[in-house]
Amino acid sequence: AEIAVTPATSTSVAPPMAPSPAVTAVLTAVPVNPADPTTWKVADTCAWLESQELGDHVQAFKTHAVDGKLLFSLTEQDMYSVLEIQSPLRRKKLAMAIAELRSMYLNP
């Protein structure tokens, strides 16, 4: 007995569209695991830094492998002498952002 096989009809499906650069920027600015900053990798910490308008310090954070745990232990002295954030106001902005992050996620 012969079995007749009919070819499946193909329906054309458009490939998924890539997100716009603006959408990509928003998506990449959100850390992988925002619920627990202590689990952030260096890339997550750098994305958060960008979201705080402190992106010009990303290279120093990468150089010194500042992940989520290290972020919470940074002192003003670390910011000045190790990360070389010269401006006292930029150090203050970073310290305030870290304090806000700590209060949101570690001490709710």
Side-chain angles (χ1 to χ4, degrees):
E2 286 187 33
I3 299 175
V5 177
T6 56
T9 57
S10 68
T11 55
S12 128
V13 176
M17 289 179 42
S20 72
V23 169
T24 302
V26 169
L27 293 175
T28 57
V30 178
V32 174
N33 188 358
D36 187 359
T38 62
T39 65
W40 288 357
K41 305 288 185 206
V42 174
D44 301 321
T45 303
C46 291
W48 173 82
L49 201 61
E50 292 272 3
S51 76
Q52 300 303 305
E53 298 179 341
L54 292 165
D56 49 332
H57 302 295
V58 163
Q59 190 54 53
F61 274 58
K62 287 180 181 178
T63 298
H64 297 286
V66 179
D67 60 10
K69 286 183 183 178
L70 190 54
L71 178 70
F72 284 126
S73 71
L74 289 178
T75 64
E76 185 167 350
Q77 186 62 35
D78 294 332
M79 294 176 201
Y80 179 74
S81 62
V82 179
L83 297 173
E84 299 179 0
I85 302 174
Q86 301 300 316
S87 165
L89 291 179
R90 308 256 320 153
R91 291 193 304 271
K92 185 174 191 171
K93 182 175 183 172
L94 178 57
M96 289 171 61
I98 292 169
E100 181 179 357
L101 191 64
R102 183 180 287 116
S103 70
M104 287 170 49
Y105 293 105
L106 300 184
N107 305 319

XYZ file of all heavy atoms in Angstrom:
814
model
N 0.850 -1.182 0.000
C 0.000 0.000 0.000
C 0.882 1.226 0.000
O 1.796 1.334 0.798
C -0.893 0.001 1.223
N 0.548 2.086 -0.889
C 1.314 3.336 -0.970
C 0.634 4.406 -0.130
O -0.588 4.482 -0.097
C 1.379 3.810 -2.430
C 2.325 2.993 -3.256
C 2.493 3.576 -4.646
O 2.432 4.810 -4.788
O 2.678 2.794 -5.569
N 1.481 5.220 0.520
C 0.958 6.328 1.312
C 1.251 7.613 0.554
O 2.390 7.877 0.190
C 1.614 6.380 2.707
C 1.312 5.086 3.460
C 1.147 7.597 3.480
C 1.996 4.996 4.780
N 0.253 8.361 0.322
C 0.436 9.620 -0.389
C 0.896 10.690 0.595
O 0.298 10.878 1.645
C -0.873 10.038 -1.047
N 1.985 11.358 0.222
C 2.511 12.430 1.075
C 2.330 13.742 0.330
O 2.782 13.872 -0.799
C 4.004 12.191 1.387
C 4.571 13.334 2.193
C 4.186 10.867 2.083
N 1.663 14.639 0.952
C 1.496 15.946 0.325
C 2.415 16.931 1.029
O 2.519 16.930 2.260
C 0.040 16.445 0.420
O -0.330 16.450 1.791
C -0.900 15.571 -0.364
N 3.115 17.723 0.257
C 4.035 18.685 0.879
C 3.255 19.717 1.703
O 2.167 20.120 1.327
C 4.748 19.340 -0.296
C 3.924 19.043 -1.502
C 3.105 17.824 -1.195
N 3.832 20.057 2.823
C 3.185 21.053 3.684
C 3.285 22.406 3.008
O 4.293 22.729 2.387
C 3.874 21.091 5.039
N 2.241 23.151 3.108
C 2.286 24.492 2.526
C 2.996 25.392 3.516
O 2.761 25.340 4.727
C 0.858 25.015 2.264
O 0.144 24.992 3.482
C 0.151 24.187 1.212
N 3.891 26.173 2.996
C 4.635 27.047 3.895
C 3.980 28.413 3.935
O 3.569 28.942 2.914
C 6.090 27.177 3.442
O 6.150 27.878 2.226
N 3.872 28.915 5.122
C 3.365 30.273 5.269
C 4.553 31.141 5.615
O 5.400 30.769 6.419
C 2.299 30.364 6.390
O 2.870 29.861 7.580
C 1.059 29.586 6.030
N 4.626 32.243 4.979
C 5.777 33.107 5.192
C 5.592 33.887 6.489
O 4.581 34.532 6.699
C 5.935 34.011 3.981
O 6.018 35.337 4.329
N 6.582 33.759 7.357
C 6.563 34.467 8.629
C 7.729 35.432 8.620
O 8.872 35.033 8.382
C 6.693 33.482 9.820
C 6.780 34.227 11.135
C 5.530 32.506 9.817
N 7.440 36.682 8.853
C 8.497 37.694 8.854
C 9.399 37.469 10.066
O 8.919 37.116 11.144
C 7.880 39.086 8.918
N 10.691 37.653 9.878
C 11.595 37.515 11.027
C 11.294 38.606 12.054
O 10.799 39.670 11.698
C 12.988 37.694 10.419
C 12.763 38.412 9.133
C 11.378 38.053 8.675
N 11.575 38.334 13.318
C 11.281 39.344 14.338
C 12.102 40.604 14.086
O 13.256 40.533 13.663
C 11.680 38.674 15.650
C 12.528 37.522 15.267
C 12.186 37.158 13.856
N 11.468 41.730 14.326
C 12.160 43.001 14.128
C 13.097 43.253 15.298
O 12.776 42.940 16.446
C 11.156 44.149 14.035
C 10.348 44.146 12.765
S 9.142 45.495 12.657
C 10.016 46.901 13.279
N 14.234 43.838 14.997
C 15.158 44.215 16.062
C 14.600 45.453 16.756
O 13.996 46.298 16.113
C 16.530 44.511 15.467
N 14.790 45.549 18.076
C 14.282 46.733 18.767
C 15.052 47.980 18.331
O 16.204 47.901 17.909
C 14.516 46.421 20.243
C 15.513 45.331 20.277
C 15.414 44.605 18.962
N 14.404 49.099 18.445
C 15.055 50.360 18.088
C 16.196 50.624 19.060
O 16.226 50.083 20.170
C 14.044 51.500 18.163
O 13.729 51.771 19.519
N 17.144 51.487 18.688
C 18.246 51.806 19.610
C 17.751 52.355 20.949
O 18.319 52.061 21.988
C 19.050 52.857 18.843
C 18.759 52.570 17.396
C 17.334 52.081 17.374
N 16.656 53.126 20.926
C 16.129 53.674 22.183
C 15.617 52.561 23.089
O 15.865 52.561 24.291
C 15.016 54.678 21.893
N 14.907 51.595 22.499
C 14.391 50.468 23.281
C 15.548 49.627 23.806
O 15.570 49.221 24.968
C 13.417 49.606 22.440
C 13.080 48.309 23.145
C 12.156 50.398 22.136
N 16.539 49.388 22.960
C 17.711 48.624 23.377
C 18.410 49.305 24.545
O 18.811 48.651 25.503
C 18.688 48.448 22.198
O 17.998 47.784 21.140
C 19.905 47.641 22.601
N 18.534 50.629 24.494
C 19.194 51.366 25.579
C 18.443 51.197 26.887
O 19.050 50.988 27.936
C 19.299 52.847 25.219
N 17.128 51.248 26.833
C 16.325 51.076 28.046
C 16.463 49.661 28.580
O 16.646 49.441 29.774
C 14.840 51.413 27.780
C 13.964 50.982 28.940
C 14.685 52.899 27.510
N 16.387 48.673 27.685
C 16.472 47.274 28.113
C 17.827 46.943 28.706
O 17.926 46.200 29.666
C 16.172 46.336 26.939
C 14.740 46.381 26.405
C 14.620 45.497 25.169
C 13.748 45.952 27.459
N 18.894 47.489 28.136
C 20.228 47.160 28.630
C 20.587 47.951 29.875
O 21.526 47.612 30.566
C 21.303 47.382 27.554
O 21.236 48.737 27.120
C 21.118 46.442 26.391
N 19.840 49.010 30.184
C 20.132 49.799 31.383
C 19.616 49.113 32.640
O 19.997 49.461 33.735
C 19.516 51.189 31.263
N 18.751 48.131 32.479
C 18.188 47.432 33.630
C 19.074 46.242 33.965
O 19.321 45.394 33.112
C 16.753 46.945 33.329
C 16.185 46.183 34.508
C 15.872 48.128 32.982
N 19.613 46.168 35.165
C 20.455 45.027 35.522
C 19.706 43.710 35.377
O 18.485 43.672 35.467
C 20.812 45.290 36.985
C 20.635 46.767 37.157
C 19.509 47.147 36.231
N 20.475 42.644 35.181
C 19.893 41.327 34.967
C 19.017 40.921 36.139
O 17.949 40.378 35.964
C 21.019 40.289 34.741
C 20.443 38.892 34.653
C 21.795 40.635 33.488
N 19.469 41.178 37.350
C 18.717 40.780 38.532
C 18.540 41.983 39.454
O 19.212 42.086 40.471
C 19.454 39.651 39.252
C 18.627 39.068 40.390
O 17.532 39.521 40.676
N 19.164 38.073 41.045
N 17.644 42.912 39.091
C 17.516 44.132 39.889
C 17.019 43.881 41.305
O 17.206 44.702 42.174
C 16.517 44.975 39.093
C 15.742 43.991 38.301
C 16.685 42.849 38.014
N 16.389 42.738 41.555
C 15.845 42.475 42.886
C 16.931 42.241 43.925
O 16.691 42.407 45.105
C 14.895 41.293 42.836
N 18.112 41.857 43.498
C 19.178 41.590 44.457
C 20.507 42.129 43.929
O 21.268 41.406 43.294
C 19.282 40.093 44.729
C 20.253 39.787 45.852
O 20.866 40.741 46.414
O 20.431 38.608 46.167
N 20.793 43.393 44.193
C 22.029 44.001 43.679
C 23.305 43.301 44.144
O 24.329 43.418 43.491
C 21.970 45.435 44.212
C 20.528 45.682 44.487
C 19.955 44.361 44.885
N 23.242 42.552 45.244
C 24.451 41.864 45.699
C 24.858 40.739 44.753
O 25.963 40.235 44.843
C 24.294 41.304 47.127
O 23.245 40.341 47.133
C 23.998 42.411 48.132
N 23.943 40.349 43.837
C 24.280 39.295 42.875
C 24.719 39.871 41.534
O 25.015 39.112 40.620
C 23.074 38.362 42.633
O 22.017 39.108 42.016
C 22.599 37.726 43.921
N 24.749 41.200 41.418
C 25.119 41.829 40.145
C 26.539 41.482 39.742
O 27.445 41.416 40.574
C 25.017 43.337 40.233
C 23.635 43.889 40.290
C 22.458 43.197 40.216
C 23.276 45.260 40.453
N 21.395 44.073 40.316
C 21.869 45.334 40.458
C 24.016 46.429 40.594
C 21.194 46.540 40.594
C 23.343 47.629 40.730
C 21.945 47.677 40.720
N 26.708 41.269 38.459
C 28.037 41.140 37.854
C 28.530 42.552 37.558
O 27.786 43.529 37.668
C 27.963 40.332 36.555
C 27.327 38.967 36.700
C 28.239 38.036 37.446
C 27.643 36.632 37.471
N 28.071 35.851 38.577
N 29.782 42.665 37.128
C 30.362 43.973 36.811
C 29.525 44.687 35.746
O 29.246 45.889 35.862
C 31.830 43.827 36.353
C 32.394 45.162 35.875
C 32.685 43.264 37.489
N 29.063 43.963 34.734
C 28.265 44.573 33.663
C 26.957 45.151 34.214
O 26.514 46.220 33.772
C 27.969 43.554 32.570
N 26.346 44.473 35.177
C 25.110 44.964 35.782
C 25.377 46.258 36.556
O 24.604 47.215 36.484
C 24.514 43.930 36.742
C 24.195 42.614 36.056
O 23.726 42.642 34.905
O 24.423 41.560 36.674
N 26.468 46.261 37.301
C 26.832 47.449 38.069
C 27.107 48.615 37.135
O 26.679 49.735 37.395
C 28.072 47.156 38.947
O 27.782 46.040 39.783
C 28.431 48.340 39.812
N 27.780 48.347 36.027
C 28.078 49.405 35.060
C 26.803 49.930 34.401
O 26.664 51.138 34.176
C 29.075 48.910 34.015
S 30.727 48.644 34.702
N 25.857 49.043 34.125
C 24.566 49.471 33.563
C 23.837 50.364 34.561
O 23.252 51.388 34.192
C 23.715 48.260 33.199
N 23.871 49.995 35.824
C 23.245 50.812 36.867
C 23.931 52.173 36.947
O 23.278 53.209 37.061
C 23.314 50.075 38.217
C 22.841 50.917 39.363
C 21.549 51.129 39.749
C 23.656 51.663 40.273
N 21.522 51.971 40.844
C 22.800 52.304 41.171
C 25.036 51.843 40.396
C 23.271 53.130 42.198
C 25.507 52.664 41.409
C 24.630 53.296 42.305
N 25.263 52.174 36.858
C 26.035 53.418 36.904
C 25.605 54.348 35.773
O 25.404 55.546 35.984
C 27.521 53.079 36.796
C 28.530 54.092 37.279
C 28.351 54.369 38.759
C 29.936 53.589 37.002
N 25.427 53.776 34.584
C 24.939 54.554 33.434
C 23.564 55.141 33.748
O 23.295 56.304 33.431
C 24.830 53.671 32.189
C 26.154 53.205 31.632
C 26.780 54.170 30.646
O 26.215 55.261 30.405
O 27.839 53.831 30.123
N 22.694 54.356 34.366
C 21.338 54.821 34.656
C 21.337 55.948 35.680
O 20.360 56.684 35.797
C 20.461 53.663 35.141
O 20.769 53.320 36.481
N 22.428 56.092 36.420
C 22.550 57.160 37.417
C 23.258 58.392 36.847
O 23.615 59.301 37.590
C 23.325 56.652 38.653
C 22.684 55.492 39.353
C 21.276 55.808 39.800
O 21.047 56.777 40.510
N 20.317 54.997 39.376
N 23.447 58.405 35.528
C 24.160 59.484 34.829
C 25.597 59.622 35.321
O 26.145 60.711 35.418
C 23.405 60.802 34.947
C 22.022 60.762 34.321
C 21.256 62.064 34.453
O 21.603 62.900 35.324
O 20.311 62.245 33.676
N 26.203 58.475 35.631
C 27.597 58.441 36.067
C 28.405 57.528 35.146
O 29.389 56.920 35.551
C 27.681 57.954 37.521
C 27.100 58.914 38.570
C 26.902 58.215 39.903
C 27.990 60.136 38.722
N 27.964 57.443 33.896
C 28.575 56.531 32.934
C 30.024 56.802 32.614
O 30.733 55.911 32.166
N 30.484 58.025 32.866
C 31.893 58.305 32.572
C 32.835 57.591 33.540
O 34.050 57.593 33.334
C 32.162 59.810 32.539
C 31.608 60.561 33.733
O 30.612 60.108 34.309
O 32.180 61.606 34.085
N 32.288 56.939 34.553
C 33.119 56.184 35.505
C 33.074 54.675 35.255
O 33.675 53.899 36.006
C 32.692 56.499 36.936
C 32.780 57.957 37.253
N 33.963 58.650 37.288
C 31.800 58.872 37.492
C 33.731 59.917 37.554
N 32.424 60.083 37.671
N 32.375 54.268 34.201
C 32.215 52.839 33.901
C 33.565 52.153 33.709
O 33.779 51.050 34.217
C 31.303 52.640 32.660
C 31.443 51.242 32.085
C 29.853 52.915 33.031
N 34.484 52.786 32.992
C 35.775 52.133 32.732
C 36.517 51.825 34.030
O 37.086 50.748 34.175
C 36.643 52.985 31.799
C 37.882 52.246 31.316
C 37.566 50.905 30.661
O 36.760 50.828 29.740
N 38.193 49.840 31.132
N 36.483 52.750 34.983
C 37.153 52.507 36.273
C 36.481 51.346 37.012
O 37.169 50.516 37.621
C 37.126 53.773 37.127
N 35.150 51.270 36.945
C 34.435 50.171 37.597
C 34.809 48.839 36.948
O 34.954 47.835 37.637
C 32.926 50.406 37.547
C 32.396 51.242 38.684
C 32.878 52.523 38.923
C 31.417 50.744 39.525
C 32.396 53.286 39.976
C 30.924 51.495 40.586
C 31.419 52.776 40.807
N 34.978 48.837 35.621
C 35.395 47.608 34.928
C 36.828 47.253 35.298
O 37.130 46.088 35.591
C 35.275 47.788 33.412
C 33.858 47.785 32.906
C 33.828 47.966 31.394
C 32.414 47.993 30.871
N 32.383 48.218 29.412
N 37.708 48.244 35.288
C 39.117 48.010 35.604
C 39.278 47.379 36.981
O 40.095 46.481 37.173
C 39.906 49.334 35.539
O 39.827 49.843 34.207
C 41.356 49.147 35.934
N 38.468 47.834 37.936
C 38.582 47.355 39.311
C 37.533 46.300 39.661
O 37.372 45.954 40.835
C 38.527 48.539 40.281
C 39.676 49.472 40.091
N 40.951 49.174 40.501
C 39.751 50.679 39.473
C 41.760 50.173 40.168
N 41.053 51.082 39.540
N 36.829 45.778 38.632
C 35.857 44.679 38.789
C 34.850 44.938 39.903
O 34.622 44.098 40.772
C 36.589 43.358 39.013
N 34.219 46.116 39.854
C 33.227 46.461 40.872
C 31.906 45.776 40.538
O 31.201 46.162 39.619
C 33.040 47.991 40.981
C 31.982 48.314 42.042
C 34.353 48.677 41.313
N 31.592 44.728 41.293
C 30.318 44.029 41.138
C 29.359 44.540 42.217
O 29.656 45.521 42.907
C 30.509 42.510 41.214
C 31.116 42.060 42.538
O 31.227 42.862 43.491
O 31.482 40.871 42.628
N 28.225 43.889 42.354
C 27.222 44.357 43.309
C 27.690 44.352 44.750
O 27.453 45.310 45.491
N 28.352 43.297 45.173
C 28.830 43.225 46.561
C 29.847 44.316 46.844
O 29.801 44.976 47.878
C 29.436 41.851 46.860
C 28.404 40.765 47.009
C 29.041 39.445 47.363
C 27.973 38.358 47.430
N 28.546 37.056 47.714
N 30.780 44.500 45.906
C 31.813 45.511 46.092
C 31.212 46.915 46.056
O 31.652 47.801 46.795
C 32.900 45.352 45.023
C 34.176 46.166 45.206
C 34.797 45.912 46.578
C 35.165 45.826 44.105
N 30.198 47.109 45.222
C 29.525 48.411 45.140
C 29.061 48.863 46.517
O 29.252 50.011 46.911
C 28.332 48.321 44.179
C 27.497 49.590 44.010
C 28.280 50.653 43.248
C 26.199 49.272 43.278
N 28.438 47.934 47.280
C 27.905 48.285 48.592
C 28.994 48.526 49.638
O 28.708 49.077 50.692
C 26.930 47.225 49.090
C 25.592 47.299 48.412
C 25.054 46.193 47.786
C 24.869 48.473 48.411
C 23.815 46.257 47.168
C 23.621 48.552 47.789
C 23.101 47.442 47.168
N 30.209 48.113 49.346
C 31.275 48.310 50.335
C 32.183 49.500 49.997
O 33.105 49.798 50.745
C 32.118 47.040 50.457
O 32.902 46.862 49.289
N 31.897 50.197 48.879
C 32.742 51.328 48.497
C 32.684 52.444 49.534
O 31.611 52.805 50.011
C 32.303 51.896 47.147
C 32.583 51.067 45.904
C 32.026 51.779 44.670
C 34.060 50.786 45.741
N 33.841 52.985 49.834
C 33.923 54.147 50.713
C 34.237 55.367 49.850
O 34.626 55.235 48.685
C 35.052 53.978 51.746
O 36.308 53.929 51.046
C 34.867 52.720 52.584
N 34.098 56.543 50.434
C 34.449 57.751 49.692
C 35.934 57.730 49.338
O 36.328 58.172 48.255
C 34.108 59.012 50.482
C 34.361 60.248 49.630
C 33.778 61.522 50.193
O 33.006 61.464 51.160
O 34.107 62.569 49.638
N 36.751 57.170 50.210
C 38.179 57.059 49.924
C 38.423 56.157 48.716
O 39.252 56.457 47.870
C 38.931 56.533 51.152
C 40.435 56.526 50.988
C 41.023 57.919 50.779
O 40.538 58.896 51.350
N 42.046 58.017 49.947
N 37.686 55.043 48.614
C 37.788 54.164 47.441
C 37.414 54.925 46.171
O 38.085 54.808 45.144
C 36.852 52.956 47.555
C 37.208 52.008 48.679
O 38.388 51.919 49.044
O 36.276 51.346 49.191
N 36.328 55.686 46.258
C 35.869 56.433 45.096
C 36.922 57.429 44.630
O 37.123 57.621 43.433
C 34.560 57.178 45.414
C 33.381 56.277 45.679
S 31.950 57.288 46.154
C 30.950 56.076 47.008
N 37.595 58.056 45.591
C 38.589 59.075 45.264
C 39.916 58.474 44.829
O 40.412 58.752 43.747
C 38.791 60.006 46.467
C 39.814 61.085 46.219
C 39.518 62.165 45.392
C 41.067 61.027 46.810
C 40.454 63.156 45.163
C 42.008 62.013 46.579
C 41.701 63.075 45.759
O 42.637 64.055 45.515
N 40.496 57.621 45.669
C 41.861 57.170 45.405
C 41.959 55.980 44.466
O 42.917 55.867 43.708
C 42.585 56.852 46.718
O 41.935 55.808 47.394
N 40.986 55.088 44.472
C 41.054 53.902 43.620
C 40.309 54.124 42.304
O 40.856 53.912 41.218
C 40.491 52.651 44.342
C 40.546 51.439 43.441
C 41.258 52.393 45.635
N 39.060 54.572 42.398
C 38.253 54.775 41.189
C 38.525 56.137 40.534
O 38.043 56.411 39.447
C 36.762 54.631 41.513
C 36.363 53.243 42.011
C 34.916 53.232 42.467
C 36.604 52.186 40.940
N 39.290 56.976 41.246
C 39.729 58.281 40.737
C 38.567 59.193 40.343
O 38.603 59.875 39.321
C 40.716 58.113 39.585
C 41.963 57.372 40.016
C 42.970 57.159 38.898
O 42.714 57.588 37.745
O 44.017 56.564 39.179
N 37.514 59.192 41.166
C 36.414 60.135 40.968
C 36.831 61.408 41.701
O 36.763 61.485 42.927
C 35.085 59.564 41.502
C 34.763 58.243 40.791
C 33.957 60.576 41.321
C 33.551 57.504 41.335
N 37.324 62.374 40.935
C 37.935 63.575 41.508
C 36.914 64.546 42.104
O 37.172 65.148 43.133
C 38.767 64.300 40.435
C 39.871 63.440 39.840
C 40.872 62.957 40.881
O 41.311 63.711 41.739
N 41.217 61.676 40.827
N 35.780 64.697 41.461
C 34.797 65.679 41.905
C 34.102 65.236 43.184
O 33.489 64.161 43.228
C 33.750 65.889 40.805
O 32.618 66.561 41.323
N 34.153 66.077 44.216
C 33.449 65.725 45.454
C 31.938 65.564 45.234
O 31.308 64.725 45.877
C 33.723 66.897 46.397
C 34.833 67.671 45.782
C 34.879 67.336 44.329
N 31.374 66.338 44.326
C 29.939 66.233 44.074
C 29.587 64.948 43.344
O 28.533 64.361 43.575
C 29.428 67.450 43.308
C 29.440 68.754 44.105
C 28.948 69.908 43.245
C 28.599 68.626 45.368
N 30.458 64.485 42.465
C 30.217 63.204 41.780
C 30.316 62.060 42.787
O 29.542 61.112 42.744
C 31.202 62.995 40.631
C 31.264 64.152 39.680
C 30.635 64.110 38.393
N 30.668 62.926 37.612
C 29.707 62.679 36.730
N 28.706 63.507 36.604
N 29.750 61.614 35.992
N 31.284 62.127 43.698
C 31.380 61.100 44.754
C 30.140 61.121 45.626
O 29.610 60.069 45.989
C 32.641 61.312 45.603
C 33.928 61.037 44.869
C 35.120 60.940 45.793
N 35.341 62.086 46.641
C 36.074 63.146 46.325
N 36.661 63.223 45.133
N 36.241 64.124 47.187
N 29.648 62.315 45.933
C 28.446 62.438 46.746
C 27.245 61.853 46.007
O 26.434 61.133 46.595
C 28.198 63.905 47.077
C 27.045 64.136 48.022
C 26.963 65.608 48.401
C 26.009 65.813 49.546
N 26.074 67.187 50.060
N 27.141 62.142 44.704
C 26.034 61.616 43.903
C 26.068 60.094 43.900
O 25.036 59.435 44.064
C 26.121 62.157 42.469
C 24.985 61.693 41.582
C 25.040 62.355 40.214
C 23.848 61.922 39.377
N 23.756 62.661 38.133
N 27.262 59.512 43.729
C 27.400 58.065 43.731
C 27.050 57.492 45.105
O 26.311 56.510 45.208
C 28.819 57.653 43.316
C 29.115 56.158 43.317
C 28.138 55.396 42.421
C 30.554 55.907 42.864
N 27.540 58.113 46.159
C 27.250 57.633 47.511
C 25.755 57.682 47.806
O 25.191 56.757 48.407
C 28.026 58.457 48.537
N 25.092 58.753 47.352
C 23.644 58.875 47.565
C 22.885 57.806 46.774
O 21.922 57.222 47.276
C 23.168 60.270 47.173
C 23.637 61.356 48.140
S 23.310 63.042 47.551
C 21.528 63.024 47.416
N 23.327 57.530 45.552
C 22.668 56.510 44.719
C 22.846 55.123 45.337
O 21.911 54.318 45.351
C 23.216 56.556 43.300
N 24.039 54.860 45.870
C 24.284 53.570 46.528
C 23.412 53.448 47.775
O 22.815 52.397 48.030
C 25.777 53.398 46.880
C 26.607 53.263 45.596
C 25.991 52.189 47.789
C 28.108 53.345 45.815
N 23.304 54.529 48.537
C 22.467 54.510 49.745
C 21.008 54.262 49.382
O 20.309 53.503 50.073
C 22.617 55.829 50.503
N 20.547 54.881 48.295
C 19.166 54.670 47.864
C 18.950 53.223 47.426
O 17.947 52.596 47.785
C 18.833 55.611 46.701
C 17.410 55.467 46.213
C 17.057 56.402 45.069
O 17.913 57.215 44.677
O 15.926 56.303 44.570
N 19.912 52.676 46.685
C 19.840 51.294 46.253
C 19.806 50.358 47.466
O 19.011 49.428 47.537
C 21.044 50.980 45.359
C 21.037 49.668 44.597
C 19.889 49.644 43.578
C 22.366 49.488 43.883
N 20.657 50.639 48.430
C 20.722 49.820 49.660
C 19.381 49.864 50.388
O 18.868 48.836 50.825
C 21.844 50.337 50.561
C 22.037 49.512 51.808
C 23.172 50.044 52.687
N 24.462 49.751 52.083
C 25.332 50.680 51.661
N 25.054 51.967 51.778
N 26.491 50.324 51.137
N 18.791 51.052 50.503
C 17.528 51.156 51.241
C 16.377 50.482 50.480
O 15.462 49.958 51.096
C 17.196 52.615 51.541
O 16.848 53.298 50.348
N 16.432 50.485 49.157
C 15.374 49.869 48.358
C 15.429 48.348 48.397
O 14.408 47.676 48.404
C 15.477 50.327 46.897
C 15.049 51.751 46.666
S 15.436 52.356 45.001
C 14.809 51.068 43.957
N 16.634 47.784 48.415
C 16.768 46.345 48.238
C 17.268 45.597 49.470
O 16.944 44.437 49.654
C 17.679 46.036 47.051
C 17.044 46.462 45.754
C 17.481 47.594 45.086
C 15.995 45.743 45.207
C 16.885 48.001 43.887
C 15.393 46.135 44.018
C 15.858 47.262 43.372
O 15.260 47.658 42.206
N 18.054 46.253 50.294
C 18.612 45.517 51.435
C 17.897 45.827 52.738
O 17.873 45.006 53.639
C 20.108 45.827 51.576
C 20.971 45.459 50.370
C 22.425 45.724 50.660
C 20.765 44.005 49.990
N 17.338 47.029 52.848
C 16.619 47.416 54.066
C 15.246 47.961 53.706
O 14.973 49.122 53.940
C 17.410 48.503 54.838
C 18.811 48.078 55.136
O 19.042 46.939 55.495
N 19.760 48.990 55.015
N 14.377 47.128 53.133
C 13.074 47.662 52.664
C 12.177 48.112 53.795
O 12.305 47.757 54.908
C 12.457 46.499 51.908
C 13.199 45.290 52.288
C 14.507 45.714 52.884
